[in-house]
Amino acid sequence: MNRYTRQLPIIGRDGQENLHRARVFIAGAGGLGTVISTYLCLAGVGSIIIADSDIVEESNFNRQFLHWTEDLGKRKIDSLEQKLSRMNPEVLIETRTDRIDANTVNDMVRGCNLIIDALDNFSTRYVLNRAALRETIPFIHGAVEGFYGQATTILPRRSPCLRCIFPQSPPARTTPVIGATCGIIGSVQATEAIKYLCGQGELLAGRLLLWDALRTEMNLVDVARNPSCRDCHLNE
Amino acid sequence: MKITLKAFAFYRDVLGSQTQLELSHGATIETLLEMLFTRHRELRPQVLTSEGRVKPLVIILKNGRNIVHLEGLHTKLDDQDMVSLFPPVAGG
């Protein structure tokens, strides 16, 4: 327990036990996934499952700080697993290389307490959103672009789902991003996960956080459920 | 009637962060946007397609609900409504 000495006064032994017993699914091992997995691993989340099918490329290096020069060409999840398991050997890191789609997602999220979005596209986010609603697993959304970021926490049947807030997928494209933007939003997502697992504080459910680094402003916009949402509706 | 408009990112550069606007009874989101386009001509191509539809890169919420789920541009506004305008980001 020594490695958790500085957080035990905040979350208590019960909170630490909750983290240890938790099984968290992180979709994506890129900019957000690096930050989220780092902080959850350091906090002592018992099992972290990370899914990504990409390999490490040089263009990742401005933000994905657990992929190093010698990792070029490796699978991202192998690179992450190697670093995270050395960072905290008490944490079990499981990896998945298969693509997240309607056929694979159920098996990936089964038995998880939380699903965390570290993806780079909305079409796969909608797959995760539906799985979270179907399995009644809280889903922590985050996304980044340039100096901007957004995050929200979806509590199935209680707060608006991703489709309620973002009914249409923005066009898929390669988005430029400042690495530190991933740091801010990924940290918000990791904090939401720790709060949820320890039962502390007020989650971002029903609120969308918008980060504007150019103005150094974080704003919260209240968001509401859509009573005829096709994703929510299917699962009630 | 008075509504509050909150704009973020690019839209804030043009519109300011939070604005109170006076609209006539029966005004819709379209009425509001046309008022904004009159004042800020550069905004129209950022918000609407050439066919006059809201671009997928724009999120418009009325009291927290996306207007796509309401009546789109024809969504009616009432006194004290809050309209939020921002671009979604998608990267990870």
Side-chain angles (χ1 to χ4, degrees), chain B residues 8-72:
Chain B
F8 301 97
F10 161 79
Y11 304 104
R12 183 183 158 164
D13 294 342
V14 178
L15 299 166
S17 61
Q18 184 162 322
T19 322
Q20 292 263 336
L21 294 164
E22 188 74 44
L23 293 171
S24 53
H25 183 72
T28 63
I29 290 286
E30 190 168 30
T31 320
L32 167 66
L33 289 177
E34 287 300 336
M35 175 191 272
L36 299 175
F37 296 157
T38 307
R39 296 178 189 176
H40 311 278
R41 292 181 63 187
E42 69 275 30
L43 203 59
R44 181 187 291 273
Q46 299 291 335
V47 177
L48 299 183
T49 64
S50 51
E51 295 83 33
R53 295 198 189 97
V54 178
K55 288 187 163 180
L57 276 171
V58 188
I59 301 288
I60 305 174
L61 306 180
K62 176 197 156 185
N63 301 330
R65 287 189 64 190
N66 196 307
I67 63 159
V68 170
H69 297 311
L70 300 169
E71 289 167 81

Side-chain angles (χ1 to χ4, degrees), chain A residues 95-174:
Chain A
T95 57
R96 299 286 302 243
T97 50
D98 34 349
R99 286 195 173 277
I100 302 168
D101 60 31
N103 295 320
T104 60
V105 71
N106 288 347
D107 185 46
M108 289 185 185
V109 304
R110 188 165 296 128
C112 289
N113 306 91
L114 264 180
I115 299 172
I116 308 185
D117 166 14
L119 294 164
D120 61 1
N121 69 88
F122 264 76
S123 54
T124 315
R125 285 188 171 103
Y126 291 137
V127 172
L128 275 187
N129 183 56
R130 282 191 293 271
L133 294 167
R134 194 170 46 242
E135 303 295 326
T136 324
I137 303 171
F139 175 40
I140 301 173
H141 160 71
V144 289
E145 184 168 338
F147 284 101
Y148 302 111
Q150 66 195 29
T152 191
T153 295
I154 292 146
L155 300 176
R157 301 187 179 92
R158 288 166 56 194
S159 65
C161 80
L162 195 69
R163 181 82 73 177
C164 292
I165 307 168
F166 302 105
Q168 297 163 297
S169 176
R173 62 204 165 108
T174 303

Side-chain angles (χ1 to χ4, degrees), chain A residues 1-13 16 19-20 37-46 48 83-93:
Chain A
M1 280 284 182
N2 275 350
R3 70 161 54 232
Y4 308 118
T5 306
R6 294 288 285 272
Q7 67 190 39
L8 281 170
I10 307 162
I11 61 172
R13 286 195 171 265
Q16 194 63 56
L19 293 181
H20 179 68
S37 62
T38 295
Y39 280 116
L40 295 189
C41 180
L42 293 171
V45 167
I48 298 174
K83 317 301 185 338
L84 293 170
S85 54
R86 287 167 64 192
M87 207 179 274
N88 187 349
E90 295 174 8
V91 174
L92 178 69
I93 309 291

